[in-house]
């Protein structure tokens, strides 16, 4: 007998039939004697539909009202799933995030969980109920509804598991684990039996949408055993592990992540004097725009070029700010490109292997793909390339690093 927190994503609850199938699955766990707390997403497509409704009324609606709107998607699913469980004779109770209560800060549309009140949930479990909680949402100290950012139901699941000290947090989704890269882009992608938190954090932060980055951070911080599995078929899935396994030789690269959500901006002909970087990036950060990669060229003729990337949604705002900054600095020109993509290779094995970046650059060169920016850390190398070459690049790298042959796959 164990306590499992299970999270079912949008596709897994995407229709009444799928919700019934999840209820069947939960019934089997109950028959084995396990206690269950379930976090669910909105039915697939629902959150996007709600975003569309809002933008048909206002370009930039109030974020508080966005959260009231977006949180309704998950409320539908919790009720339907509880009905399906009750139909099977299983006691079940649904709760919205604010009912639980999942206390968050007040950053609407990207709130962070601060605390979870588990008393009510524990009482329900003790009374033999399956508890079904709406993912992706909470409430701030004033009781305002908040949401946790896209993909946030993963974080609800992990945070519940941490608060309840669950035996395992199981993320049920539409693929049967974490793969060497997105299996929808590379046919030969392989499921990993295990991946370390460190690697999973990099993969998530570099664009792999399989887990929201905050869910991985939470799991690492509170040492929650975390597993990604398919809601459609049985299997071991992928375990996110805390310890690196020294007994098996790790592949140098564990996975490839990519991200189409970035845009690049360059200020050309900036005077090469102290304080320029802060004069350029200060106004950007004051506008609450996050900067990812930054490159400053070596100066020629006392001027230099300064390039950085931002989220694509912030592109026009950043460009507008830069035009003002460029004129204040007497820089020559501002140029931008929002048709870029970032491709990253990730692996803890990189620490003990030389030549990984070179191998990456060779692979891209052999496909004639130009590298626009490069950034590295201890366990990753990222490059910015033209978006149109993204899939070609990922496939090329996947075979260059022989990821189609990884032997970490079980069975
Ligand atoms: P859910 O609705 O269940 O939260 P998501 O769409 O958010 O599901 O995440 C699952 C998707 O993540 C998969 O369908 C897959 O296309 C994508 N994905 C991206 N990178 C990976 C990866 N490395 N391994 C597995 N899936 C990945
Ligand atoms: N429904 C939300 C979204 O689509 C949260 C989630 O599915 O995790 O982003
Ligand atoms: Mg998701």
């Amino acid at each position: 007998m164990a306590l499992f927190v299970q999270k079912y994503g949008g596709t897994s609850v995407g229709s009444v039939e799928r919700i019934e199938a999840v209820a069947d699955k939960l019934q089997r766990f109950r028959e084995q004697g396990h206690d269950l707390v379930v976090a669910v997403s909105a039915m697939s497509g629902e959150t996007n539909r709600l975003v569309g409704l809002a933008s048909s009324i206002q370009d930039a609606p109030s974020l508080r009202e966005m959260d009231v709107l977006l949180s309704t998607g998950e409320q539908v699913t919790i009720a339907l799933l509880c009905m399906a469980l009750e139909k099977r004779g299983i006691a079940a109770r649904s709760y919205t995030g604010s009912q639980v209560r999942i206390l968050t800060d007040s950053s609407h549309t990207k709130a962070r969980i601060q605390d979870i009140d588990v008393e009510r949930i524990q009482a329900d479990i003790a009374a033999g109920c399956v508890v079904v909680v709406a993912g992706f949402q909470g409430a701030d100290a004033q009781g305002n509804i908040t949401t946790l950012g896209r993909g946030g139901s993963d974080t609800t699941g992990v945070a519940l598991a941490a608060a309840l000290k669950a035996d395992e947090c199981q993320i049920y989704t539409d693929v049967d684990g974490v793969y060497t890269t997105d299996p929808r882009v590379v046919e030969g992608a392989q499921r990993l039996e295990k991946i370390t938190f460190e690697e999973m954090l990099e993969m998530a932060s570099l664009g792999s949408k399989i887990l929201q980055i905050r869910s991985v951070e939470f799991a690492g911080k509170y040492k929650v055993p975390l597993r990604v599995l398919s809601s459609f078929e049985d299997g071991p899935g992928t375990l996110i592990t805390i310890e690196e396994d020294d007994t098996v030789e790790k592949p140098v690269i564990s996975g490839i992540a990519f991200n189409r959500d970035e845009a690049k901006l360059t200020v050309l002909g900036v005077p090469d004097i102290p304080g320029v970087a802060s004069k350029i990036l200060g106004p950007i950060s004051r506008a609450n725009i996050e900067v990812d990669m930054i490159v400053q060229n070596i100066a020629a003729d006392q001027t230099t070029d300064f390039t950085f990337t931002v989220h694509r949604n912030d592109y026009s705002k950043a460009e507008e700010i830069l035009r003002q900054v460029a004129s204040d600095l007497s820089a020559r020109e501002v140029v931008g490109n929002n048709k870029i993509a970032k491709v990253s290779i990730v692996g803890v094995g990189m620490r003990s292997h030389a030549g990984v970046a070179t191998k990456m650059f060779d692979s891209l060169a052999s496909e004639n793909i130009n590298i626009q920016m490069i950034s590295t850390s201890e366990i990753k190398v990222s490059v910015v390339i033209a978006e149109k070459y993204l899939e070609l690049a990922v496939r090329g790298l996947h075979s260059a690093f022989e990821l189609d042959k990884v032997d970490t796959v079980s069975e």
Side-chain angles (χ1 to χ4, degrees):
M1 278 232 317
L3 169 62
F4 293 133
V5 173
Q6 303 189 334
K7 177 260 173 174
Y8 290 88
T11 315
S12 307
V13 293
S15 64
V16 167
E17 291 70 31
R18 286 301 313 153
I19 290 174
E20 298 260 20
V22 169
D24 285 338
K25 206 174 174 69
L26 295 173
Q27 182 168 27
R28 290 196 292 276
F29 279 101
R30 284 301 284 155
E31 284 164 2
Q32 289 161 14
H34 301 304
D35 289 329
L36 298 173
V37 173
V38 183
V40 285
S41 291
M43 296 167 80
S44 59
E46 179 60 9
T47 310
N48 286 343
R49 188 184 74 87
L50 295 168
V51 170
L53 286 178
S55 60
S56 65
I57 291 186
Q58 227 182 349
D59 276 345
S62 126
L63 297 181
R64 183 188 184 280
E65 300 315 321
M66 266 321 265
D67 278 350
V68 174
L69 177 71
L70 296 187
S71 66
T72 61
E74 273 70 12
Q75 189 169 342
V76 171
T77 334
I78 54 172
L80 293 176
L81 181 57
C82 282
M83 290 173 196
L85 287 168
E86 281 167 354
K87 183 166 96 177
R88 286 161 178 76
I90 300 167
R93 297 197 77 175
S94 69
Y95 294 104
T96 63
S98 61
Q99 283 175 315
V100 165
R101 102 188 244 241
I102 297 180
L103 178 71
T104 71
D105 63 18
S106 303
S107 315
H108 285 292
T109 72
K110 48 178 182 219
R112 282 180 183 269
I113 296 179
Q114 293 175 329
D115 194 26
I116 298 187
D117 189 352
V118 288
E119 232 171 85
R120 204 162 167 183
I121 298 179
Q122 276 165 339
D124 285 340
I125 296 172
C129 274
V130 173
V131 179
V132 181
V133 179
F136 175 58
Q137 56 180 266
D140 71 5
Q142 287 73 44
N144 297 298
I145 294 175
T146 53
T147 64
L148 310 177
R150 298 304 303 265
S153 299
D154 297 333
T155 304
T156 306
V158 176
L160 281 167
L164 292 161
K165 301 192 174 47
D167 293 291
E168 191 165 270
C169 180
Q170 301 166 337
I171 306 285
Y172 284 95
T173 182
D174 55 6
V175 286
D176 65 347
V178 178
Y179 276 67
T180 47
T181 192
D182 190 338
R184 293 182 207 288
V185 169
V186 178
E187 226 175 83
Q190 300 289 311
R191 182 176 58 81
L192 300 164
E193 190 191 350
K194 290 179 184 170
I195 182 167
T196 66
F197 273 103
E198 218 183 346
E199 288 169 321
M200 196 62 238
L201 260 185
E202 287 283 8
M203 292 280 280
S205 76
L206 295 167
S208 286
K209 298 206 167 69
I210 179 86
L211 285 175
Q212 197 198 32
I213 180 162
R214 284 186 188 165
S215 72
V216 189
E217 284 169 358
F218 242 102
K221 189 166 166 195
Y222 297 100
K223 311 233 175 323
V224 178
L226 181 61
R227 195 183 287 276
V228 175
L229 313 106
S230 165
S231 67
F232 294 81
E233 57 197 57
D234 291 338
T238 299
L239 185 68
I240 324 295
T241 55
I242 297 171
E243 301 301 332
E244 279 174 36
D245 190 348
D246 295 331
T247 56
V248 285
E249 205 194 329
K250 284 286 288 175
V252 182
I253 300 302
S254 293
I256 302 172
F258 51 85
N259 183 356
R260 303 171 200 264
D261 295 339
E262 290 194 29
K264 182 177 84 160
L265 288 146
T266 304
V267 193
L268 294 166
V270 192
D272 185 34
I273 49 171
V276 162
S278 101
K279 284 203 179 92
I280 293 175
L281 294 181
I284 297 287
S285 72
R286 281 193 288 283
N288 224 349
I289 297 175
E290 264 178 56
V291 170
D292 181 19
M293 284 196 204
I294 305 171
V295 172
Q296 183 184 312
N297 294 357
I298 291 179
D301 349 314
Q302 279 87 54
T303 68
T304 181
D305 301 335
F306 192 93
T307 306
F308 59 93
T309 63
V310 295
H311 194 283
R312 226 175 250 194
N313 293 348
D314 292 325
Y315 177 63
S316 353
K317 194 160 147 203
E319 196 180 20
E320 201 183 301
I321 295 170
L322 274 197
R323 294 212 185 281
Q324 185 57 48
V325 172
S327 105
D328 295 349
L329 284 174
S330 314
R332 197 169 68 241
E333 200 184 345
V334 174
V335 291
N337 182 350
N338 62 0
K339 298 269 182 311
I340 58 159
K342 184 167 76 174
V343 182
S344 311
I345 53 173
V346 174
V348 287
M350 244 184 245
R351 286 197 182 114
S352 48
H353 285 81
V356 177
T358 312
K359 190 165 175 179
M360 180 184 201
F361 304 152
D362 286 348
S363 162
L364 295 169
S366 72
E367 305 282 3
N368 233 345
I369 299 172
N370 189 38
I371 300 172
Q372 303 180 12
M373 293 170 91
I374 301 170
S375 107
T376 65
S377 79
E378 220 187 336
I379 66 161
K380 71 122 205 271
V381 183
S382 300
V383 296
V384 167
I385 58 171
E387 187 186 2
K388 63 181 173 190
Y389 297 128
L390 175 64
E391 303 199 342
L392 183 65
V394 175
R395 289 197 191 107
L397 290 167
H398 200 266
S399 52
F401 285 98
E402 299 185 348
L403 290 175
D404 20 22
K405 302 191 192 111
V406 287
D407 54 5
T408 49
V409 180
S410 64
E411 290 154 346

